[in-house]
Amino acid sequence: MKKQLFNSPVIILVLSVLLFSNCGTKEKPTQVEEQSNNSPNIILFVSDDHGTDAIGAYGNKVIKTPNLDQLAAEGVRFNNAYCTSASCAASRSVILTGLYGHATGSYGHVHDYHHFSSYDNIKSLPVLLENSGYETARIGKYHVAPESVYHFQKVLEADPRNTVEMAEQCKEVLNSDKPFFLYFCTDDPHRGAPFESDPWNLPNSFGNKKEGYEGVETITYDPKDVVVPSFLPDSQESREEIAQYYQSVSRIDQGFGKLMKMLKETGKDKNTIVIYISDNGMAFPGAKTTVYEPGIKLPCIIKDPLANLKVGSVNNALVSWTDLTPTILDMADVTYDSNEFHGKSFKKIMGEENPKGWNEVYASHTFHEITMYYPMRVVRNKNYKLIRNIAWRQEYPFASDLWAASTWQEVYRSDKEFFGKRKVKDYLFRPEFELFDLSNDPDESKNLANDKNYAEVLEALKNKMKAFQLKTKDPWLITWDHDNSLQGTGVNL
């Protein structure tokens, strides 16, 4: 039986602040119970740099994603699902812990000299599920550290650009005698190496190859047919790159379809929860590495055959990747202390289109590459969204792959005034606060922070942001008023 929480809002607030303040810094045991073989299997399928702009189920009538569309037709499509940082490693740490990266030390990339790593006392989702009797396995992109924190019992090998091959390597896991948790992570549709084209105006490959991939049908797109999102310039370079991006997404879809076919052949599809998400938005300037909507508002499609939900339903709750770990534990019927996570389970409201109390999310970005220090904190409350650019006095830094993108280079080399609907100078040099009314300005093009008519809204969201940073023990809280109470003394006592 799961633990009952106190009903008093005051008690909840006090306990939350006290308990959250210890996340990532003090060892705390997590109680889990051994599960029976009747526990549901769970597949968490995570693509790399895939936005809602490139899935048929989210309204794109050009791209071919029949298998993902089928998942949405059989499950629940979330319309307001957010990552907390539009950066691969930082986002993945949140997905697997239910904690913001600023509280776990997962400030940015793991690989090479970036070397950001989670604190070694963090309890991750695969470890918690293993402790409760699950067989855990991963395949494809990992991009978190250390391994002792993000431990999986099985590590499967395949070309992470060939999702059909990846699916085939999962056969043994799908046939497991124990309930399984499969973490399936593609490299698609991330930009492909080399990032710099020669000549500069050639589109990036997005992992596509002329010879294609074994077992995968190569689906190509005519640049004139693609849908150019409003935040991008409608140029030949943009269209050619989006066409490559679409091709990579269609490869994901085929691998996903293969995996679902194999699952059905095992007879376990009626007892397997399938979740499709991405780590951040499309790999174009204005999306990935930003906290604008194209960077952090992402696909989230869930099929839970055990929940008796209306098929093909939609859910408009504002949910966050911090919510995924507690939600999955809840789905697996694993007993846990909800106060150990920054997010909360949305299992009970999955079948509701407009559930009450789910109208606020937060985001926290600090680094992408180590050379890209640009901390940003975000609160979205209903339709108002506040961004605080903590390092606003410096030029906005570019990810190396996005700088080399022909989509950006066409604007940069031509010295154009606009990049999409935003002026280039406004993209590169941002004010400390950006306030948007998303109901009237979905493109986030009109900053209301200096509008006196929105002074009360601005102040209210600032207070929410400060409270969030205090509650989640964000070291960057100090940048408001030099309050160093969250820091240690620097002296070993």
Side-chain angles (χ1 to χ4, degrees), residues 333-383:
D333 200 29
V334 173
T335 300
Y336 63 92
D337 183 350
S338 61
N339 291 309
E340 291 191 358
F341 304 108
H342 292 152
K344 59 183 178 180
S345 171
F346 54 75
K347 177 186 175 182
K348 291 182 179 179
I349 57 94
M350 278 180 56
E352 301 178 42
E353 185 172 356
N354 297 296
K356 294 181 180 179
W358 290 82
N359 57 8
E360 191 167 279
V361 288
Y362 294 85
S364 172
H365 175 96
T366 305
F367 286 91
H368 178 63
E369 296 157 1
I370 196 170
T371 51
M372 289 184 64
Y373 176 75
Y374 202 84
M376 299 171 283
R377 300 296 183 263
V378 179
V379 53
R380 177 181 170 184
N381 178 267
K382 298 179 181 177
N383 285 318

Side-chain angles (χ1 to χ4, degrees), residues 128-182:
L128 296 176
L129 288 174
E130 178 184 347
N131 290 345
S132 63
Y134 271 77
E135 177 178 313
T136 64
R138 66 175 174 88
I139 188 168
K141 188 163 186 174
Y142 190 43
H143 218 12
V144 286
E147 194 279 337
S148 59
V149 167
Y150 299 99
H151 175 70
F152 287 81
Q153 293 164 296
K154 293 186 177 180
V155 180
L156 310 175
E157 300 292 338
D159 183 348
R161 291 286 189 180
N162 187 337
T163 50
V164 170
E165 179 186 316
M166 291 174 68
E168 291 169 345
Q169 294 303 310
C170 296
K171 183 177 181 179
E172 182 180 342
V173 173
L174 297 181
N175 284 286
S176 172
D177 293 331
K178 298 172 65 176
F180 65 80
F181 170 56
L182 174 61

Side-chain angles (χ1 to χ4, degrees), residues 439-483:
S439 61
N440 295 313
D441 180 25
D443 292 312
E444 300 166 288
S445 59
K446 185 178 180 182
N447 184 7
L448 304 173
N450 295 320
D451 189 327
K452 293 181 180 179
N453 294 318
Y454 293 88
E456 291 186 6
V457 174
L458 176 63
E459 192 61 27
L461 292 182
K462 282 183 180 180
N463 288 334
K464 283 182 175 292
M465 187 177 290
K466 291 176 184 178
F468 155 73
Q469 290 185 268
L470 177 63
K471 182 178 180 180
T472 60
K473 203 169 184 181
D474 183 355
W476 280 263
L477 179 69
I478 196 174
T479 61
W480 287 97
D481 54 15
H482 302 284
D483 177 3

Side-chain angles (χ1 to χ4, degrees), residues 117-137:
S117 181
S118 300
Y119 300 135
D120 59 11
N121 59 340
I122 299 297
K123 299 295 188 297
S124 73
L125 176 62
V127 171
L128 296 176
L129 288 174
E130 178 184 347
N131 290 345
S132 63
Y134 271 77
E135 177 178 313
T136 64

Side-chain angles (χ1 to χ4, degrees), residues 37 78 83 110 128 187 240 250 252 263 277 299 330 399 422:
N37 284 350
F78 284 80
C83 69
V110 169
L128 296 176
D187 272 8
E240 289 177 349
S250 285
I252 293 173
L263 177 66
I277 62 170
D330 203 8
R422 188 173 277 110

Side-chain angles (χ1 to χ4, degrees), residues 52-66:
T52 57
D53 56 275
I55 302 183
Y58 280 91
N60 188 315
K61 298 183 184 304
V62 176
I63 195 163
K64 296 178 177 65
T65 54

Side-chain angles (χ1 to χ4, degrees), residues 397-415:
F398 261 86
S400 53
D401 57 337
L402 301 189
W403 173 261
S406 59
T407 296
W408 172 257
Q409 286 295 316
E410 184 271 333
V411 171
Y412 174 72
R413 289 167 182 261
S414 302
D415 197 26

